[in-house]
Amino acid sequence: ENIYVERESLPEIGEILDFATIQAAEILGRPRPLLRIGWWLNVMLPGDVTHAHTHDDNDELLSGVYYVETPPHSGRLVLLDAGRREEIEPRAGVFVFFAPDVPHEVTRNESDRPRLSVGFNIGARQEP
């Protein structure tokens, strides 16, 4: 489900990643040049689910997703934080940001088409 490609091979992704980084700088209260973004494509085929996990393995400061194609019933993002369960219906063109240590999952894609999104983590740039 996760597809990693070089940014140069998908020029259109630049606008999405730049916007995500600008918003992350605002959310985190940090200058944009001090942030870096790691990203991947998510292709959720009919019947696919993503089990609960976090993104706090390294120095991530913020995680998120941008929805590209979202057929009806193609799976909701579920945030599991402090005993709460928040379900978010995906919509094309929408960003969702969340803390990297928040467990999250995606419910089953019940549609007959794939759902496409861009997952990303924002971290601090390493000093040279």
Side-chain angles (χ1 to χ4, degrees), residues 76-81 83-88 105:
R76 292 175 307 283
L77 173 64
V78 181
L79 303 175
L80 307 162
D81 189 26
R84 290 185 359 203
R85 177 183 175 95
E86 173 108 17
E87 294 195 18
I88 299 168
E105 62 190 27

Side-chain angles (χ1 to χ4, degrees), residues 1 15 25 30 41 44 46 49 54 59-60 62 71 77-78 96 128:
E1 106 187 14
E15 189 173 329
R30 293 182 179 223
L41 299 175
M44 294 282 294
V49 299
T54 62
D59 67 343
E60 289 84 359
L62 193 63
L77 173 64
V78 181
V96 177

